[in-house]
Amino acid sequence: MPYLTNSKDIQDLMASYAQSQILWIDTEVADHQTRKPKVSLIQVLDDPTDLTGEQVSILDVLDHPELIDYFVDKIIVNPAVEKVFHNASYDLKLLGKAKAQNVTCTLELAKKIPYYLLQVRNLQLKTLAEELCYFPPVDKTEQTSDWGVRPLTASQLHYAKMDAIYVAHVHQQLLKLNRRSEPDPASEDLTALSDRYQQIAYQWKLLDTEMTHLQERLKKAMQAQNVSETEVFELSSYQRTSKKVQFDQLAKLAQAKGIELDFPVALTQKLQKELGVMIEQLQVEEDVTTNWRLSVKDQNDEELPF
DNA sequence: AAGGAGGTGATAGTAGAGAG
DNA sequence: CTCTCTACTATCACCTCCTT
């Protein structure tokens, strides 16, 4: 695990990483709770088979904005290098943000996979490492430690290095699941899909209706009994404020005060009816969309699998 | 603390179908 | 044709998650 603090070494390594096809990256940020957060470490891995962190480079860029700029320039905006992060938008906020090219986010990837294929408690990197990749329990206490002090502790460096390992392994596993969850629609087996649907439809209906019913009863019961929480549930309410004004009044005000108010108003069927032929005097924008609906055909009872 | 993506739940509007 | 029912989509305000 090279931990680099020398600017020249760091820059050389960044230059060589710019030749890679894919890199797994994580960052640690100091002063994240202030208005001026700064990148403390950039951890880079180019070998996804690494389990121990031997291949992870920890680049110490604290108070070296020129190194961060160099990294952004050579790697982040470089479309030839695929960059993999967990919750990429967080890291990229401090790493070139808008200009970033060819970025993969393992959190986004995980969100696209339905729960039945990815059965984990939540989508934190820690959880995915433990429950998807079977890493031993991950201690996140260093996550919120002070990344602005030097020297860093051995425990901090270990945490920093392992995060890059987790990103790489989680990424590999998610790609496998992704291939299963997004097959080519053109070659799907319609018979197999229909069979599976019928197989679970009855169970689903039983569970779905009971779940909805339980939720309704719990909500009503907790309200009626003035209970705000049980061991399992929490019942909360919130105020919802929405404001409305008569269109006529708004139009008159805009005209009287010369306010620039230009936005499309939906011409609902009701409005179209009221306007009648006068609608022809308006420049109506028409938007036609095609919506697809899947419905279950009526079937003979004997054919049902239950 | 901050911000972006997406979920939630209420409300409103729509198409399609059946009845008269 | 109109009326009504049902099942959907769209929109809105608010909430939750994820990272350090």
Side-chain angles (χ1 to χ4, degrees):
Chain A
M1 166 199 64
Y3 167 50
L4 303 188
T5 51
N6 178 281
S7 288
K8 179 75 173 72
D9 295 344
I10 290 175
Q11 194 165 334
D12 287 349
L13 194 55
M14 285 178 178
S16 80
Y17 277 140
Q19 306 304 312
S20 308
Q21 269 193 353
I22 180 165
L23 295 172
W24 293 268
I25 307 174
D26 186 41
T27 59
E28 306 305 329
V29 175
D31 303 336
H32 67 269
Q33 70 284 47
T34 67
R35 283 168 307 275
K36 192 75 194 89
K38 47 188 182 182
V39 181
S40 166
L41 300 179
I42 302 175
Q43 307 96 278
V44 186
L45 176 65
D46 59 1
D47 173 8
T49 62
D50 184 7
L51 276 167
T52 60
E54 289 304 302
Q55 303 297 316
V56 176
S57 299
I58 302 182
L59 314 178
D60 197 325
V61 296
L62 186 69
D63 297 323
H64 282 286
E66 78 285 356
L67 284 176
I68 296 169
D69 289 345
Y70 187 78
F71 188 77
V72 169
D73 185 48
K74 289 289 171 210
I75 296 180
I76 298 294
V77 304
N78 183 351
V81 186
E82 179 179 1
K83 278 78 60 181
V84 185
F85 298 85
H86 191 68
N87 200 1
S89 67
Y90 182 84
D91 299 270
L92 292 179
K93 244 190 301 184
L94 297 173
L95 237 46
K97 200 172 171 75
K99 304 167 289 178
Q101 295 281 321
N102 200 359
V103 170
T104 299
C105 175
T106 46
L107 176 61
E108 297 301 312
L109 213 49
K111 282 178 180 172
K112 275 198 227 148
I113 299 171
Y115 179 76
Y116 81 97
L117 289 176
L118 178 60
Q119 298 186 30
V120 292
R121 280 175 299 132
N122 57 51
L123 302 181
Q124 294 169 14
L125 184 60
K126 162 189 162 68
T127 312
L128 292 171
E130 291 169 354
E131 298 179 20
L132 176 65
C133 304
Y134 307 108
F135 277 98
V138 177
D139 183 2
K140 295 291 270 186
T141 48
E142 296 294 354
Q143 182 177 51
T144 48
S145 65
D146 188 349
W147 293 98
V149 289
R150 292 297 181 270
L152 295 165
T153 65
S155 171
Q156 281 179 309
L157 288 173
H158 177 77
Y159 172 83
K161 143 186 109 172
M162 290 311 287
D163 259 2
I165 299 294
Y166 300 147
V167 172
H169 284 262
V170 164
H171 180 229
Q172 306 284 100
Q173 292 302 312
L174 288 177
L175 284 181
K176 282 189 203 164
L177 288 177
N178 193 244
R179 281 192 283 275
R180 273 212 274 159
S181 72
E182 289 192 337
D184 176 14
S187 52
E188 288 263 48
D189 182 344
L190 291 177
T191 311
L193 292 178
S194 304
D195 285 353
R196 178 61 182 156
Y197 181 93
Q198 289 200 304
Q199 214 175 52
I200 58 176
Y202 177 65
Q203 288 294 331
W204 169 76
K205 197 166 179 176
L206 284 183
L207 287 174
D208 185 60
T209 52
E210 187 174 358
M211 282 292 272
T212 310
H213 192 206
L214 284 172
Q215 284 173 6
E216 284 166 0
R217 288 168 62 187
L218 274 160
K219 213 164 157 179
K220 277 184 195 158
M222 288 172 80
Q223 283 179 66
Q225 296 171 29
N226 229 336
V227 176
S228 67
E229 62 181 307
T230 69
E231 277 192 34
V232 183
F233 292 101
E234 198 185 287
L235 184 70
S236 59
S237 65
Y238 57 88
Q239 303 274 306
R240 215 187 136 101
T241 330
S242 54
K243 300 183 177 182
K244 282 183 183 174
V245 66
Q246 291 304 118
F247 175 76
D248 187 49
Q249 210 184 344
L250 176 67
K252 277 180 182 148
L253 182 76
Q255 209 154 35
K257 305 283 181 187
I259 306 167
E260 193 71 31
L261 263 190
D262 203 9
F263 56 88
V265 173
L267 285 182
T268 61
Q269 292 187 334
K270 193 176 160 216
L271 258 177
Q272 291 175 37
K273 214 169 174 179
E274 262 178 62
L275 285 170
V277 287
M278 289 190 302
I279 203 164
E280 286 163 24
Q281 299 172 30
L282 299 169
Q283 286 177 27
V284 178
E285 249 181 74
E286 242 182 25
D287 191 16
V288 182
T289 58
T290 309
N291 297 303
W292 298 83
R293 176 187 299 191
L294 182 68
S295 45
V296 182
K297 292 198 291 187
D298 281 345
Q299 310 199 344
N300 297 330
D301 280 9
E302 288 112 276
E303 283 177 19
L304 291 173
F306 41 82

